[in-house]
């Protein structure tokens, strides 16, 4: 079965820590998403990462987004892929909602000098036309969210006392 995959965001940041330290930090979604507009509301962590599940929630005006996520590909110290299925609701009306196209959040950790180049690629799969049109209305919002997330991960790893 052929799927249409669109890369929405592809951002990288240098972190002054080993790939193992960055990978280990990102194994816990509560840390990975700490400070995001989308916050973790529940999670079930698996020791090795694979199969970790969690839910994110975000309220933006009259719209509430509930995301179900799972760590689906984990290569220690190198890669974490998270599958995400968002559902949109009109605030406080939790009927069926609108389940959007599935996303992949692909985190890659590569040694660069004494540190790590962390890349986060956000991909959407089989996105219907009307969702692509809505994405255009968002403008650079997804890029800003990813950039902020990477900066927070960098800061938390490089300055753990300040993040505590």
């Amino acid at each position: 079965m052929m799927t249409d995959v669109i890369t929405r965001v592809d951002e990288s940041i240098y972190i002054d820590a080993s790939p193992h330290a960055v990978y280990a930090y990102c194994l816990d979604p509560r840390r990975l998403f700490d400070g995001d507009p989308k916050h973790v509301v529940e999670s079930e962590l698996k020791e090795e990462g694979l199969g970790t599940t969690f839910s994110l929630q975000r309220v933006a005006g009259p719209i509430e987004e509930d995301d179900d996520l799972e760590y689906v590909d984990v290569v220690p110290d190198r890669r974490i892929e998270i599958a995400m299925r968002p559902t949109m609701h009109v605030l406080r009306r939790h009927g069926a909602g609108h389940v959007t196209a599935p996303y992949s959040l692909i985190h890659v950790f590569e040694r660069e000098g004494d540190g790590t180049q962390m890349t986060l690629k956000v991909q959407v799969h089989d996105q219907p036309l009307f969702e692509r049109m809505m994405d255009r209305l968002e403008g650079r919002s997804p890029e800003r969210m990813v950039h902020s997330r990477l900066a927070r991960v960098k800061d938390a790893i490089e300055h753990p006392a300040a993040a505590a």
Side-chain angles (χ1 to χ4, degrees), residues 75-148:
V75 179
D77 302 342
R78 309 229 15 230
R79 174 186 164 90
I80 297 172
E81 182 174 343
I82 302 172
M84 179 174 85
R85 179 59 84 147
T87 302
M88 308 301 265
H89 303 275
V90 174
L91 196 57
R92 291 183 280 288
R93 293 196 180 141
H94 281 270
H98 170 71
V99 178
T100 73
Y103 284 75
S104 295
L105 310 175
I106 303 165
H107 303 78
V108 177
F109 315 100
E110 298 176 295
R111 175 154 307 279
E112 183 175 299
D114 291 335
T116 301
Q117 185 74 17
M118 178 181 173
T119 300
L120 174 50
K121 186 181 293 190
V122 178
Q123 297 178 327
V124 62
H125 304 266
D126 298 321
Q127 189 177 38
L129 178 61
F130 73 91
E131 286 181 20
R132 282 186 256 168
M133 291 174 12
M134 294 302 294
D135 282 351
R136 288 179 188 232
L137 294 175
E138 277 189 300
R140 297 195 45 85
S141 179
E143 288 90 347
R144 286 191 298 271
M145 187 184 310
V146 166
H147 181 78
S148 293

Side-chain angles (χ1 to χ4, degrees), residues 7-159:
T7 298
R8 296 253 348 256
V9 182
D10 189 350
E11 292 264 342
S12 296
I13 196 165
Y14 176 83
I15 301 174
D16 190 15
S18 71
H20 175 75
V22 179
Y23 164 83
Y25 182 88
C26 294
L27 276 179
D28 185 340
R30 295 169 299 198
R31 289 188 298 209
L32 181 61
F33 289 88
D34 186 34
D36 262 27
K38 294 180 179 188
H39 62 277
V40 176
V41 291
E42 62 182 68
S43 62
E44 182 180 337
L45 305 179
K46 303 293 183 184
E47 189 173 321
E48 301 298 318
L50 188 64
T52 289
T53 57
F54 60 106
S55 298
L56 296 174
Q57 190 174 66
R58 176 183 185 191
V59 176
I63 303 298
E64 184 174 316
E65 181 179 343
D66 296 312
D67 303 338
D68 292 321
L69 298 96
E70 180 178 0
Y71 284 47
V72 295
D73 184 26
V74 176
V75 179
D77 302 342
R78 309 229 15 230
R79 174 186 164 90
I80 297 172
E81 182 174 343
I82 302 172
M84 179 174 85
R85 179 59 84 147
T87 302
M88 308 301 265
H89 303 275
V90 174
L91 196 57
R92 291 183 280 288
R93 293 196 180 141
H94 281 270
H98 170 71
V99 178
T100 73
Y103 284 75
S104 295
L105 310 175
I106 303 165
H107 303 78
V108 177
F109 315 100
E110 298 176 295
R111 175 154 307 279
E112 183 175 299
D114 291 335
T116 301
Q117 185 74 17
M118 178 181 173
T119 300
L120 174 50
K121 186 181 293 190
V122 178
Q123 297 178 327
V124 62
H125 304 266
D126 298 321
Q127 189 177 38
L129 178 61
F130 73 91
E131 286 181 20
R132 282 186 256 168
M133 291 174 12
M134 294 302 294
D135 282 351
R136 288 179 188 232
L137 294 175
E138 277 189 300
R140 297 195 45 85
S141 179
E143 288 90 347
R144 286 191 298 271
M145 187 184 310
V146 166
H147 181 78
S148 293
R149 183 177 306 145
L150 291 172
R152 282 192 306 276
V153 168
K154 173 184 175 68
D155 190 53
I157 292 171
E158 291 181 353
H159 306 99

